[in-house]
Amino acid sequence: MAAPLSRRGLLRTAMATAAASGLSYASAGPSAAAALPAPSSWTLRPFDLKDVTLGPGIFATKRRFMLDHGRGYDVDRLLQVFRANAGLSTRGAVAPGGWEGLDGEANGNLRGHYTGHFLTMLAQSYGSTGDQVYADRIRSMVDALTEVRSALRTSPSVLGVPGRFGTAAENVRGSYQYVDLPAGVLGDARAVTLSAWVKPTHHADWARVLDFGDGTTRYLYLAARNANGTPRFALTTSGAPGEQGLDGDEQLPLDRWSHLAVTIGGGTGVLYVNGSAVAHGAITLDPAALGTVRNNWLGRSNYPGDPVFAGAFDEFNMWARALTAGEIAELQDHRAADSPAGRGDLVSYAFDETTGPTFADGSPRALHATLRRTWGAPSHPGFLAAYPETQFITLESMTSSDYGVVWAPYYTAHKILRGLLDAHLYTDDPRALDLASGLCDWMYSRLSRLPASTLQRMWGIFSSGEFGGLVEAVCDLHALTGKPEHLALARLFDLDSLIDACAANRDVLDGLHANQHIPIFTGLLRLHDATGEARYLAAAKNFWDMVVPTRMYGIGGTSTGEFWRGRGSVAGTISATTAESCCAYNMLKLSRLLFFHEQDPKYMDYYERALYNQVLGSKQDTADAEKPLVTYFIGLTPGHVRDYTPKAGTTCCEGTGMESATKYQDSVYFRKADDSVLYVNLYSASTLTWAERGITVTQTTDYPREQGSTLTIGGGSAAFELRLRVPSWADAGFQVTVNGTAVQGKPLPGSYFAVSRTWRGGDIVRVRVPFRLRVEPTPDDPALQSLFHGPVNLVARSASTSPLRFGLYRNAALSGDLLPTLTPVRGEPLHHTLDGVEFAPFFEGTEDPTHAYFRRDEPRIAFGNTGSGVANPSRPDGTTFLDEVWAGAPFRDKGALVSRVRSTVDAWVSAGLLGRNEGRTVVRTAQSASYTP
């Protein structure tokens, strides 16, 4: 391993890379928009989404549901948490809930991530369809985020709202704002009256109306809610054990004005709610006993773990005497200034201000108050988030995971950055690029100051240190800005222990959180593109092989309970929380990027598997205005029912699911860098507009319901090589014709079949991809198998929670195809029945209980639906007699099959695994049976 570069060295490297990158801009969206320049290390180039339109079929149908969701969802709900964090009006919007709000899992510590996903989904929707509604929604969100960043850059400003008498000051929940009163506000008062109008908007216990003190020893406070939910006043000079308190008897209503008052004098305290005395008690301490305290706050507690008051304040007054009950009563219907008590002589705030951070004191003392944030101000003007910078600051000193305290702040930053980048790339909005660039400037300003050891520790912490695909996004930003700090920032996320192990092909994945680590490798590939560092590419390639197929489920997914187990552990890890959808999304991205570097067909074989099964199957086939209806986990246990609204919504997987459903066409076609070759990677109804060659390519197909595709060339003439993917499972006669004439050559499964010619408008290429029904055993339990017809995983639909048992050899075809054993369901392509159980494609997004795996059970030897009555013996490794016979398929004719049966019988009889008479019976059965070709 080369010695790590110093930060100065990183900057020099970044500057050189930027100078050599040759930044270019081209049409990337429906109108002229900024395009990312393709790295010179890519031997292939992708097409823009606008260049590939989807035709009728399963992809277009699934996408329509998501397009409608993106068109109709109220984006102000997404922006609520951003506006709240900046102390702006949330316009009455309600945060989506789940992970996207303050009341969700882990106190909403991931809030903001979903907005980034939604921006990317809108950008891809606009890029794919050109529908202006998506661009308009992007513009409105960028408007809001620009306003949010501006508000965060400055001191908080009063948010004036209608009050009890005039204007009130609102502290939006999530703004962490409070009112800071000057020192000495209590003076040396021996008696005091506190009076405030409050309108709470949240039911958090111990949120303070006021708290004057020096930490947690000397203080007096008035809380809107105690542990029982009722108001409480307390005064102490010896901490919580010494509190002298008064407690109310009823909870304050939310979203309604309530008047609270406390009088202390002559050793007695009285608590009033809405003019009525609700508690009397001895209060032998007086305010003067506290002395001069440093923290005099409205809305904030001296106990740092207590919540900040959420709601509005109106008319806060303090008098240096105990008002009478009559004077308190008069405050219910009059401003203090118009009441017998008059304005407070210690302090008096009417909260009539509507701008700025200052509240005027109407008392003779002129102790003007200031609106502040509990977390101060951002450390850099580029900061943009839906929560305080404290999440990022706290991570820097953490040594172990606690997502209830810090939950992946840099992961959330990635989603916001990616959404802004995509907004810029598809709409050419310079403000989105400015926000993205500023966000990375802020990250660099924080992280570049930290020691390398701190960074390594941070990125190694489970969950809290997760940063998603941030490196990839930062590299993409650097390709647009050329700023050396941005490339230097990308390298600050290197997790050397993981990179070095994978570069050396040392598998260290057991026990790691899957989705925390998969996107690291897409970032490493982009770093390789930017820096040329070989270990990044080697690590990514080796990592991919550590996951596929050794930690992969049949549908293409990976992880159980979000984590990986040892190599080859598949059957042993099946649970209700297998195959996290984000993992499939990120494995597709990684496979795609690897294919740009070297055209190993295995990457596209995997891409087809995961896309046509898990990704399609993770989206419910239902329209919904409020939810994207995408799975988090896809449980593979027997009888599992998919949950399309997991964890109350707005999870990471629903975010990536929105993205997946609006870019189904992004890998159907690739082109060689010099435009001499066109790759057809997927058979999908679509039309490619290849502007550089002046042609179109239209695929007409209902694949995978149809076993093949027809490609029609449109436009002028162009000479290039057409490379058609031959799936690794396509061993049953892949054929290609051009204008009705068969193309010579032998297509090899798991390769690309090349057709070179000068193409002309009207040329027709017909690709025949015959499917066979096959099984895929799990590596750690060969009898536990999944069923595939061509690229499609067929799942049994059954409510049974025990593994189903099936035999498949009883009517196998001479080709080795197991399909004749099943009975097709008329009018429903890819649907079959076996032993009364329906099998259906995994990609159908239903809520039927399914079995993605079944237990293979071939108790008796049979051929062509003719039973022999002989038990099907097995070897110690689990291989049965029938397994060994059918391993020789395809058979050219019945005689070849019978010959295979006879030789297998002889071997098994010699090994003592089959009786001689039983062997004769088996051979006679094979001879007498009839077979499908």
Side-chain angles (χ1 to χ4, degrees):
M1 169 187 168
L5 292 173
S6 66
R7 291 194 178 95
R8 182 174 297 175
L10 283 172
L11 286 171
R12 283 199 298 267
T13 301
M15 290 175 182
T17 304
S21 64
L23 298 180
S24 64
Y25 289 85
S27 177
S31 59
L36 285 170
S40 59
S41 56
W42 291 4
T43 53
L44 295 185
R45 301 287 188 267
F47 288 95
D48 295 327
L49 290 180
K50 71 177 180 62
D51 295 332
V52 183
T53 58
L54 289 179
I58 57 174
F59 289 109
T61 299
K62 293 266 189 181
R63 185 181 70 170
R64 185 178 69 250
F65 295 132
M66 199 62 74
L67 290 175
D68 290 345
H69 176 69
R71 184 182 289 108
Y73 191 80
D74 180 5
V75 295
D76 277 334
R77 297 187 63 190
L78 300 171
L79 296 165
Q80 193 268 355
V81 289
F82 284 90
R83 287 175 168 142
N85 189 47
L88 298 171
S89 171
T90 58
R91 304 184 179 186
V94 177
W99 288 2
E100 199 61 36
L102 284 161
D103 292 317
E105 190 171 350
N107 306 308
N109 283 346
L110 212 66
R111 60 189 183 275
H113 81 114
Y114 200 69
T115 298
H117 285 299
F118 205 88
L119 270 172
T120 292
M121 182 266 284
L122 291 176
Q124 292 175 170
S125 299
Y126 180 53
S128 295
T129 68
D131 190 335
Q132 187 63 31
V133 68
Y134 301 114
D136 291 343
R137 311 203 89 204
I138 291 169
R139 187 176 301 108
S140 69
M141 294 179 74
V142 173
D143 285 345
L145 293 174
T146 301
E147 182 185 16
V148 164
R149 187 179 70 172
S150 178
L152 288 170
R153 286 176 166 181
T154 60
S155 297
S157 184
V158 175
L159 180 59
V161 296
R164 175 64 178 82
F165 297 110
T167 300
E170 182 177 20
N171 286 346
V172 176
R173 183 164 180 254
S175 67
Y176 301 96
Q177 292 181 170
Y178 67 100
V179 182
D180 188 16
L181 279 59
V185 65
L186 288 170
D188 56 359
R190 310 292 301 219
V192 71
T193 297
L194 312 170
S195 168
W197 281 97
V198 293
K199 184 168 74 171
T201 57
H202 190 256
H203 49 64
D205 294 343
W206 299 116
R208 301 294 201 260
V209 174
L210 61 89
D211 195 333
F212 302 155
D214 277 333
T216 58
T217 301
R218 297 184 304 139
Y219 54 79
L220 67 78
Y221 69 75
L222 176 60
R225 293 171 61 92
N226 59 15
N228 297 318
T230 63
R232 174 175 171 79
F233 170 81
L235 175 62
T236 183
T237 57
S238 56
E243 284 186 2
Q244 297 179 9
L246 303 167
D247 293 289
D249 54 3
E250 292 185 3
Q251 297 182 4
L252 297 184
L254 296 182
D255 302 310
R256 283 171 50 192
W257 286 104
S258 296
H259 182 257
L260 296 177
V262 177
T263 63
I264 302 173
T268 299
V270 184
L271 173 64
Y272 295 86
V273 177
N274 293 325
S276 299
V278 297
H280 298 75
I283 302 290
T284 59
L285 292 170
D286 57 48
L290 298 178
T292 301
V293 294
R294 65 178 181 272
N295 301 327
N296 299 280
W297 297 330
L298 303 184
R300 181 179 180 182
S301 172
N302 271 282
Y303 284 84
D306 287 342
V308 178
F309 177 81
F313 288 97
D314 198 2
E315 281 276 307
F316 177 73
N317 286 272
M318 290 175 55
W319 293 266
R321 64 185 179 90
L323 297 187
T324 67
E327 288 174 313
I328 297 292
E330 287 292 326
L331 295 174
Q332 304 311 296
D333 298 313
H334 303 93
R335 284 182 178 270
D338 301 325
S339 76
R343 299 191 74 160
D345 56 351
L346 290 177
V347 289
S348 177
Y349 304 109
F351 296 113
D352 288 330
E353 292 84 359
T354 57
T355 60
T358 304
F359 299 103
D361 177 15
S363 79
R365 304 172 73 197
L367 297 177
H368 306 309
T370 305
L371 185 65
R372 303 191 190 280
R373 299 186 185 97
T374 61
W375 54 282
S379 62
H380 185 281
F383 176 74
L384 178 63
Y387 45 62
E389 194 175 359
T390 50
Q391 282 277 298
F392 300 89
I393 297 169
T394 303
L395 174 62
E396 293 167 9
S397 60
M398 291 181 70
T399 57
S400 61
S401 174
D402 186 346
Y403 85 138
V405 175
V406 173
W407 190 5
Y410 285 97
Y411 173 95
T412 305
H414 162 242
K415 302 310 172 189
I416 297 168
L417 174 62
R418 184 75 261 172
L420 290 168
L421 275 176
D422 290 334
H424 170 67
L425 289 169
Y426 286 98
T427 68
D428 205 19
D429 190 331
R431 298 172 308 155
L433 181 61
D434 179 62
L435 289 170
S437 184
L439 185 56
C440 287
D441 292 343
W442 161 74
M443 281 190 274
Y444 182 72
S445 75
R446 282 215 69 84
L447 297 176
S448 62
R449 298 194 302 264
L450 299 177
S453 58
T454 299
L455 295 173
Q456 294 298 314
R457 172 175 48 76
M458 285 166 59
W459 311 142
I461 298 175
F462 159 63
S463 188
S464 300
E466 183 175 356
F467 55 83
L470 184 57
V471 174
E472 176 192 6
V474 174
C475 288
D476 286 351
L477 176 70
H478 171 256
L480 294 173
T481 67
K483 292 180 67 171
E485 294 86 356
H486 291 162
L487 182 57
L489 170 64
R491 298 191 70 159
L492 293 176
F493 290 90
D494 280 6
L495 182 55
D496 289 329
S497 59
L498 178 69
I499 297 170
D500 293 342
C502 290
N505 206 18
R506 182 163 46 87
D507 191 330
V508 294
L509 303 190
D510 189 4
L512 291 184
H513 183 260
N515 197 53
Q516 180 166 344
H517 294 87
I518 299 170
I520 288 177
F521 292 91
T522 63
L524 295 183
L525 282 173
R526 294 291 288 115
L527 271 177
H528 165 75
D529 298 334
T531 66
E533 189 164 326
R535 73 171 183 141
Y536 291 143
L537 178 60
K541 290 169 58 178
N542 292 337
F543 166 79
W544 193 93
D545 288 327
M546 294 172 191
V547 178
V548 181
T550 185
R551 291 180 170 93
M552 180 192 75
Y553 301 105
I555 58 174
T558 186
S559 80
T560 182
E562 301 192 6
F563 289 83
W564 280 309
R565 297 296 175 248
R567 295 177 71 97
S569 183
V570 174
T573 63
I574 289 174
S575 71
T577 57
T578 37
E580 183 186 354
S581 294
C582 277
C583 293
Y585 164 89
N586 281 309
M587 283 301 296
L588 287 182
K589 291 189 73 173
L590 179 60
S591 301
R592 185 175 190 259
L593 284 176
L594 284 167
F595 195 74
F596 290 155
H597 288 87
E598 55 182 50
Q599 287 71 65
D600 190 327
K602 70 181 181 182
Y603 298 128
M604 282 298 120
D605 270 343
Y606 172 80
Y607 201 99
E608 178 185 65
R609 175 192 293 270
L611 179 65
Y612 280 81
N613 293 291
Q614 174 156 0
V615 172
L616 280 179
S618 67
K619 173 71 188 85
Q620 188 173 16
D621 298 333
T622 304
D624 192 292
E626 290 299 307
K627 301 290 183 185
L629 299 180
V630 177
T631 61
Y632 189 111
F633 298 114
I634 294 184
L636 300 177
T637 51
H640 181 80
V641 177
R642 291 174 216 168
D643 180 4
Y644 298 99
T645 54
K647 295 177 177 282
T650 65
T651 64
C652 53
C653 293
E654 287 167 292
T656 53
M658 290 191 298
E659 295 183 33
S660 291
T662 49
K663 62 169 186 175
Y664 287 137
Q665 75 271 38
D666 76 341
S667 297
V668 176
Y669 309 97
F670 296 148
R671 59 190 176 91
K672 201 169 181 181
D674 62 2
D675 288 318
S676 63
V677 177
L678 177 67
Y679 281 75
V680 179
N681 305 306
L682 301 172
Y683 299 108
S684 174
S686 56
T687 297
L688 165 67
T689 300
W690 193 1
E692 292 81 359
R693 302 311 305 266
I695 66 164
T696 60
V697 179
T698 300
Q699 275 200 73
T700 306
T701 181
D702 195 24
Y703 188 96
R705 297 184 181 102
E706 177 183 348
Q707 299 182 23
S709 183
T710 300
L711 289 77
T712 303
I713 309 298
S717 63
F720 61 88
E721 183 175 275
L722 183 67
R723 293 188 183 173
L724 303 161
R725 190 174 67 87
V726 186
S728 58
W729 48 262
D731 55 0
F734 185 98
Q735 295 178 350
V736 178
T737 63
V738 176
N739 299 329
T741 301
V743 178
Q744 298 302 307
K746 184 178 181 180
L748 298 176
S751 70
Y752 278 78
F753 185 71
V755 184
S756 297
R757 58 181 280 141
T758 298
W759 301 92
R760 294 177 173 80
D763 283 347
I764 296 176
V765 180
R766 174 62 185 163
V767 182
R768 182 172 176 268
V769 194
F771 295 180
R772 290 201 315 188
L773 189 71
R774 69 186 192 282
V775 295
E776 291 188 357
T778 57
D780 48 336
D781 185 355
L784 191 69
Q785 302 178 351
S786 54
L787 194 64
F788 280 81
H789 192 215
V792 179
N793 177 219
L794 297 181
V795 294
R797 288 181 174 169
S798 168
S800 172
T801 56
S802 298
L804 300 178
R805 308 180 77 90
F806 295 105
L808 296 170
Y809 287 137
R810 69 187 77 166
N811 195 28
L814 292 173
S815 64
D817 191 352
L818 301 172
L819 191 62
T821 298
L822 279 64
T823 302
V825 177
R826 181 175 297 179
E828 293 192 60
L830 298 175
H831 285 245
H832 302 81
T833 61
L834 177 62
D835 298 341
V837 176
E838 180 182 12
F839 281 81
F842 188 94
F843 64 68
E844 292 184 352
T846 72
E847 293 180 294
D848 295 296
T850 61
H851 293 242
Y853 288 92
F854 66 95
R855 191 152 290 282
R856 191 67 174 272
D857 187 15
E858 308 277 358
R860 302 282 174 181
I861 297 174
F863 297 100
N865 274 334
T866 302
S868 68
V870 176
N872 182 26
S874 62
R875 297 187 184 277
D877 65 359
T879 303
T880 70
F881 175 88
L882 286 173
D883 290 336
E884 189 158 320
V885 168
W886 288 105
F891 301 106
R892 65 179 181 275
D893 53 28
K894 177 178 176 177
L897 170 60
V898 172
S899 177
R900 173 77 175 192
V901 171
R902 184 176 288 112
S903 64
T904 305
V905 163
D906 290 344
W908 284 59
V909 168
S910 297
L913 298 171
L914 186 68
R916 190 170 301 278
N917 289 334
E918 291 175 320
R920 295 192 186 99
T921 300
V922 169
V923 172
R924 286 196 299 271
T925 303
Q927 290 172 326
S928 64
S930 298
Y931 303 92
T932 301

